[in-house]
Amino acid sequence: MASNLPRRAIGGVLLLVGVVVAPLAGVAGFLGTAAMTAAVPVLAAAGLVAATGSGFLLAWPAFHLIGARRGRGAAILLAVGLTLALAGLASVTVFRPGPIPGPASTAPGVLYWDLPTGSRIAYVHAPANGKARPTPVVFLHGGPGTPGEGVPAAGKVLAAKGFEVYAYDQLGAGRSTRLSDVTGYTVARHVADLEAIRRTIGADKLIIVGQSWGGSLAAQYLAAHPEHVAKVVFSAPGALWPGALPGGDGEPWDRLTPAQKERYDELASAPRLLAAFLLLGINPRAAHALVGDDEADARFHELALVGKDTASCPGTPPRTPHENRQGFYVNQVTSADFQQVADPRPRLRHVRVPALIMRGECDFIKWEATYDYRRTLPSSTLVYIKGAGHPIAADQPATYTALLESFLLDRPLPLPAYTSPTPPR
């Protein structure tokens, strides 16, 4: 009897290992198969086969060491039981769709461009008051995938000064097209859409105003089509080139309160959303097949609401969010593609298009990211705006509008140029 104890102990340990390993093997099979196919039923089947196989291969020798009769049959029953339990758990978590909102709300004044790129782009237009100036103003929102709603407040002022003003929802965001193949969300596609917009509205040149990621996109367009840009404004721009900032250009999530962090973690760790995030790194098409646009956008919106007021200076009153929906997949896939783009700075160093760079006092974007624009663009001016965070237009609307108006009309700026390579203390 004593001589059997070590064998039984080893068998017991092996059995416990099998109970733990089988579900993990199922997850690995599910994720690993995504490298070859985006078909969710195939991924699920691969996960179940992996769980059953690994459970059986570990349970059979375990039961043999324990000395159980009919060890093979017991191993089969255990493996099948573990697989059924895994399938049951997955069916109410990973494979259970979350709430899907109703149809997107309509808003007055929304129009559409059907571009030759294949994108159907929603936009708003503030027509020039009186005789239109020859160069229209185009606002680029942040994100990627985080649209605004309606004509920006400063846009109405510019329209009153004779500028044709446009603001649009970038591909995959707001009321614009969602792609059936999410791998099509690339920086090059966004640049191509903006160039197609320029042609569609019949403008030889554009004045571009880019906010956050919109600033990064404006820089990409400027590098590709400098001859078609009259002036460019970078408002709290994101990275000019991610390769220069290995640690990233800054995160608003670092400012969450403990309660906000708890809510954010709760939302982000939901098994279905977590599965989508994991699949994005393997096969974005598989993530999209598992969690569709409507559901993913709704969950992305929930996450964004948690930190909607963290990007401003402390004490700034909270703002009411609008309902123009964000785009989850355009955010994730474009952001990943942005990490792979070539460095545009060597080309931009020779582009002498007038540029205004706005930096808010409380911006979460790293100073190095902001100043990279100033040191790269030879005809640029940097201004530092006190009392403003990342959303400069919302935090200091009068200053923001005055800066835009003065810059576009070639008047002296209401704030002095900031020339130091280091941030104010």
Side-chain angles (χ1 to χ4, degrees):
M1 177 69 92
S3 62
N4 289 331
L5 286 177
R7 287 169 53 87
R8 290 181 176 179
I10 294 172
V13 170
L14 192 59
L15 197 60
L16 289 174
V17 170
V19 171
V20 174
V21 168
L24 295 178
V27 173
F30 175 83
L31 295 175
T33 306
M36 298 176 283
T37 179
V40 174
V42 175
L43 305 185
L48 294 178
V49 169
T52 303
S54 60
F56 174 75
L57 290 175
L58 289 168
W60 189 5
F63 281 122
H64 177 72
L65 290 170
I66 291 172
R69 296 180 180 181
R70 301 178 180 176
R72 181 178 179 181
I76 292 173
L77 287 175
L78 179 62
V80 171
L82 288 172
T83 302
L84 290 175
L86 178 62
L89 179 62
S91 68
V92 297
T93 55
V94 173
F95 296 110
R96 183 179 182 179
I100 297 177
S105 61
T106 57
V110 176
L111 303 169
Y112 290 89
W113 288 307
D114 289 307
L115 302 178
T117 58
S119 302
R120 188 165 198 258
I121 298 295
Y123 72 98
V124 289
H125 173 215
N129 185 19
K131 183 179 179 180
R133 296 173 185 270
T135 307
V137 178
V138 178
F139 284 83
L140 303 181
H141 66 70
T146 307
E149 181 70 291
V151 177
K156 297 176 182 178
V157 174
L158 296 179
K161 298 295 182 180
F163 291 98
E164 296 285 344
V165 176
Y166 299 89
Y168 70 96
D169 298 344
Q170 293 159 29
L171 178 69
R175 299 177 179 88
S176 292
T177 305
R178 268 36 172 199
L179 294 178
S180 57
D181 181 359
V182 296
T183 61
Y185 293 126
T186 63
V187 175
R189 176 63 176 268
H190 290 297
V191 170
D193 280 348
L194 181 51
E195 172 61 5
I197 288 168
R198 181 193 66 80
R199 292 173 179 268
T200 298
I201 62 179
D204 178 56
K205 293 189 176 187
L206 301 175
I207 296 170
I208 302 175
V209 182
Q211 161 66 27
S212 190
W213 147 257
S216 303
L217 175 56
Q220 291 289 320
Y221 183 85
L222 180 62
H225 303 285
E227 72 281 7
H228 293 307
V229 182
K231 292 185 177 183
V232 59
V233 177
F234 301 98
S235 178
L240 179 55
W241 183 57
L245 301 161
D249 57 6
E251 286 289 344
W253 312 114
D254 296 337
R255 299 179 175 185
L256 295 179
T257 66
Q260 289 171 329
K261 183 70 165 59
E262 182 179 357
R263 176 58 177 161
Y264 180 89
D265 290 343
E266 177 188 352
L267 292 169
S269 62
R272 186 167 166 84
L273 189 59
L274 190 59
F277 276 122
L278 292 172
L279 287 172
L280 274 167
I282 301 168
N283 183 351
R285 295 184 181 96
H288 189 232
L290 177 67
V291 184
D293 287 303
D294 288 341
E295 181 184 351
D297 292 352
R299 290 174 179 258
F300 189 41
H301 182 66
E302 284 187 283
L303 285 169
L305 287 179
V306 174
K308 70 178 180 66
D309 296 316
T310 60
S312 298
C313 294
T316 302
R319 285 182 290 274
T320 302
H322 59 72
E323 293 301 322
N324 195 17
R325 295 177 184 171
Q326 296 156 319
F328 174 75
Y329 287 106
V330 70
N331 175 271
Q332 295 294 306
V333 180
T334 303
S335 295
D337 181 68
F338 190 36
Q339 299 297 318
Q340 309 302 319
V341 299
D343 188 350
R345 296 176 300 176
R347 183 173 176 82
L348 290 173
R349 290 188 182 104
H350 301 283
V351 174
R352 297 197 170 274
V353 171
L356 175 64
I357 307 156
M358 300 188 197
R359 167 78 187 195
E361 176 186 11
C362 306
D363 199 349
F364 63 84
I365 296 292
K366 295 177 181 177
W367 174 260
E368 295 81 3
T370 302
Y371 201 76
D372 204 14
Y373 286 82
R374 175 64 193 91
R375 70 162 60 94
T376 299
L377 298 166
S379 299
S380 63
T381 301
L382 171 64
V383 293
Y384 187 81
I385 305 172
K386 293 185 177 181
H390 192 60
I392 298 173
D395 290 348
Q396 294 294 333
T399 301
Y400 173 84
T401 301
L403 283 165
L404 273 183
E405 184 179 353
S406 299
F407 178 65
L408 268 55
L409 295 176
D410 295 318
R411 296 172 180 170
L413 298 179
L415 290 178
Y418 189 86
T419 57
S420 173
T422 59
R425 296 184 179 276

